[in-house]
Amino acid sequence: MTKDPTPHAEDSFRAVRPGDPRYADLALRRRNERFEHYPRCFQVARGTEHVIAAVDEAMRSGDRIAVRSGGHSMENSVGEVAGGTIVDMSAMNSVSYDPARGAFAIESGATLADVYRQLYLNWGVTIPGGWGHTVCAGGHIQGGGYGGLSRRHGSTVDHLQGLEVVVVDERGRAVAVEATRDPDDPNHDLWWAHTGGGGANFGIVTRYWMRTPGAPGLLPKPPTGIISGVLAWPWETMTRETFQSLVHNHGQWHWKNSEPDSPYTALSSLLMLPARAKRSGALGLTLVALVDSGAPDAESMLDEYLDHINGDTGAVRFVNPAKPWLYTMVPPVVDGEMQRIPEYDRYKGKAGYLRRPFTAAQVDALYDYLSDPPAEIDLAGVWLNSYGGQVNAVEPTATAMAQRDSILKAVYTAAWPDPRHDSKNIDWLRRFYRDVYADTGGVPVPNENNDGSYINYPDVDLADPAWNTSGVPWHYLYYKENYPRLQQVKQRWDPLNVFRHTLSIKPPE
């Protein structure tokens, strides 16, 4: 009969160093092959006490500490310093109901697919999170979090009741702290900092407690079904004038229909504008729209939307009958690792919020770059995600996520398989982004059209004066007026600046 491991043996199972056969698997458990994760030690946490022990050991060893949940960061915050300790949260992946708190507990290593399945199948509720099924809750929630239900239910952090964080005190010792939404909580500022402050800034989040404030139910109920509609345009028929009309129609609709009380919060969409690849069978331009089948006049709402976006652009159109919500969010054919495209694991990303539609000059820049990309780029483009609605019902200072009056999120990406093409492809995306925001120093400086960028899509170029010539610091683009308060939280909860990387919150000077 096999005996349970002793506590000492349990510790040895958790720490994974070079020479351990598990080390290679953990080193490859990342989503961007441009970056390497080869620390002195991986610590695979399975509970809060393990995280505390791992941090204490790293502090005694003088290691830089990084934390990884899903490993999807667009930059190398986990591995930008060689050596050190990476605390891997993937084994802490439970989703449960906590009766003592009257809230749902989600551990940091739970993937969004885990979260959606467990919350819905066990309790009939959900959170308004993203589409990336292998993204983990750890970074997604504390950066703000958004998805197809955000227009109706707000950002993910708008449902954050509390969290547990392992921090390092002024004596260099790890300790677990709980912080809640309650303004009378002495740790309330730590809760606030995790409502959009971004990952790996203050400590290691072990679990979140989710509950919608002031609502009769603990969390939102998702739609019973989703009706989807698709518009598609081949690049061969996409003239500059047609492209201008398409992007204009799309932007104008969202500008007019993104108020918190709009009936169109039942509808969300993704407009995919891929670069015109040189290979045969390349993707064309595609709009995917989703509407709650239980919303009043759902079908006519979808038809009107598709009519408005299409205009006279000549799109091919499909409308699919309602499918169950969970099947739509986590369809079996792309479940888990099957969603990954290994040959495109080298990538660079950028982002920007839109308060108003792109200007004509910006659309021209989009067309110029997307219609004639370098041959080495196989998969690149701009994705325009529906935004606004109930996200914009919250005051900018109520959470650390300051962008609360935008209508769209723009995501700029380039992906390729060959490391020999890294420099050329990254340079192309940098120039593309710079030229879209040429009027504001190459970055989306907050003004009547732009509202900065999203920390969950980090971009070190915003801190590089060669690419950000606006004179506006990177942290204002992400946090705006909330940054000084985040610095105060940093000083209180991470006084030794243990949790740091290129785009981390800096202690006040």
Side-chain angles (χ1 to χ4, degrees):
M1 182 175 179
T2 303
K3 295 181 179 181
D4 291 336
T6 65
H8 178 75
E10 182 80 0
D11 288 343
S12 68
F13 290 158
R14 189 187 67 243
V16 179
R17 298 179 175 85
D20 187 312
R22 297 170 294 172
Y23 186 92
D25 283 299
L26 287 166
L28 290 173
R29 204 189 72 74
R30 61 188 189 271
R31 305 292 165 173
N32 194 340
E33 296 300 320
R34 286 177 51 218
F35 306 130
E36 294 185 344
H37 295 174
Y38 293 110
R40 182 188 68 82
C41 175
F42 286 104
Q43 292 277 5
V44 182
R46 289 187 295 281
T48 302
E49 70 281 1
H50 288 156
V51 176
I52 292 172
V55 172
D56 278 337
E57 180 182 322
M59 293 297 292
R60 287 192 297 270
S61 302
D63 282 358
R64 277 284 290 270
I65 301 172
V67 58
R68 181 179 69 186
S69 53
H72 289 77
S73 178
M74 288 184 178
E75 295 293 356
N76 197 22
S77 57
V78 173
E80 68 178 20
V81 176
T85 291
I86 294 177
V87 181
D88 188 286
M89 303 297 291
S90 58
M92 291 185 65
N93 57 10
S94 72
V95 180
S96 61
Y97 177 68
D98 185 340
R101 293 181 174 273
F104 294 96
I106 300 173
E107 290 188 324
S108 289
T111 66
L112 292 184
D114 294 332
V115 172
Y116 298 146
R117 282 198 201 94
Q118 295 299 323
L119 288 180
Y120 183 63
L121 295 178
N122 288 306
W123 298 282
V125 297
T126 192
I127 58 172
W131 286 95
H133 310 134
T134 58
V135 170
C136 286
H140 183 70
I141 294 177
Q142 62 191 287
Y146 79 103
L149 295 180
S150 288
R151 283 170 57 83
R152 173 171 278 186
H153 296 298
S155 295
T156 312
V157 292
D158 298 336
H159 305 267
L160 179 61
Q161 178 68 23
L163 72 163
E164 180 183 67
V165 193
V166 173
V167 299
V168 175
D169 64 21
E170 66 279 357
R171 295 169 293 180
R173 297 193 302 187
V175 59
V177 177
E178 294 181 7
T180 70
R181 177 188 297 275
D182 183 355
D184 294 327
D185 181 350
N187 302 333
H188 176 73
D189 63 339
L190 189 61
W191 169 87
W192 179 87
H194 285 86
T195 60
N201 273 309
F202 311 99
I204 299 178
V205 175
T206 56
R207 75 194 75 244
Y208 300 96
W209 287 284
M210 307 298 295
R211 179 171 181 170
T212 305
L218 296 179
L219 282 174
K221 289 186 177 296
T224 56
I226 297 290
I227 305 172
S228 61
V230 177
L231 297 178
W233 302 262
W235 259 112
E236 289 72 20
T237 63
M238 187 57 58
T239 65
R240 183 181 297 274
E241 292 72 24
T242 303
F243 187 86
Q244 277 275 8
S245 294
L246 165 59
V247 179
H248 171 81
N249 294 347
H250 181 261
Q252 286 292 321
W253 187 93
H254 284 86
W255 189 23
K256 295 175 181 177
N257 295 285
S258 294
E259 293 298 318
D261 59 352
S262 169
Y264 289 96
T265 59
L267 185 150
S268 66
S269 71
L270 171 62
L271 177 58
M272 295 175 279
L273 305 174
R276 185 174 186 172
K278 309 302 189 216
R279 58 187 171 85
S280 61
L283 296 173
L285 294 78
T286 307
L287 174 84
V288 178
L290 307 173
V291 63
D292 177 357
S293 63
D297 302 318
E299 293 184 7
S300 61
M301 183 185 300
L302 178 61
D303 285 340
E304 291 171 8
Y305 177 68
L306 296 177
D307 286 344
H308 184 95
I309 305 303
N310 189 11
D312 59 358
T313 62
V316 177
R317 177 172 177 159
F318 307 91
V319 174
N320 300 305
K323 288 186 170 61
W325 171 80
L326 185 61
Y327 180 92
T328 304
M329 285 298 296
V330 192
V333 292
V334 292
D335 195 10
E337 290 300 310
M338 291 177 65
Q339 187 191 30
R340 240 179 132 190
I341 309 175
E343 62 268 31
Y344 298 119
D345 274 349
R346 310 183 74 83
Y347 62 86
K348 170 73 175 174
K350 295 173 173 288
Y353 287 96
L354 278 73
R355 283 173 156 159
R356 292 189 177 185
F358 282 122
T359 65
Q362 287 179 310
V363 180
D364 275 338
L366 294 175
Y367 184 83
D368 289 340
Y369 277 86
L370 294 175
S371 62
D372 189 24
E376 292 80 6
I377 291 183
D378 247 6
L379 192 66
V382 178
W383 315 140
L384 296 174
N385 296 276
S386 291
Y387 205 60
Q390 282 298 310
V391 174
N392 294 348
V394 177
E395 290 298 317
T397 57
T399 64
M401 194 182 75
Q403 290 83 1
R404 293 289 186 170
D405 64 353
S406 299
I407 61 172
L408 291 164
K409 274 188 181 180
V411 185
Y412 305 76
T413 63
W416 58 93
D418 192 335
R420 294 174 299 177
H421 299 152
D422 285 4
S423 296
K424 183 171 185 177
N425 293 341
I426 292 170
D427 179 70
W428 176 84
L429 190 66
R430 285 170 167 166
R431 289 184 290 103
F432 180 14
Y433 189 78
R434 177 199 63 193
D435 290 356
V436 170
Y437 299 106
D439 290 343
T440 52
V443 295
V445 174
N447 58 18
E448 66 176 9
N449 293 317
N450 310 311
D451 204 17
S453 192
Y454 178 44
I455 193 59
N456 272 1
Y457 300 147
D459 176 14
V460 295
D461 298 337
L462 299 187
D464 185 345
W467 296 103
N468 177 2
T469 60
S470 69
V472 176
W474 67 267
H475 53 76
Y476 189 82
L477 299 173
Y478 288 121
Y479 304 115
K480 301 200 298 182
E481 286 80 7
N482 286 342
Y483 189 66
R485 183 177 175 185
L486 286 166
Q487 289 184 289
Q488 294 300 319
V489 179
K490 177 74 169 180
Q491 185 175 49
R492 178 186 178 193
W493 291 104
D494 187 18
L496 303 181
N497 197 22
V498 170
F499 300 97
R500 64 191 188 274
H501 51 83
T502 299
L503 295 179
S504 59
I505 306 296
K506 305 299 187 290
E509 295 181 359

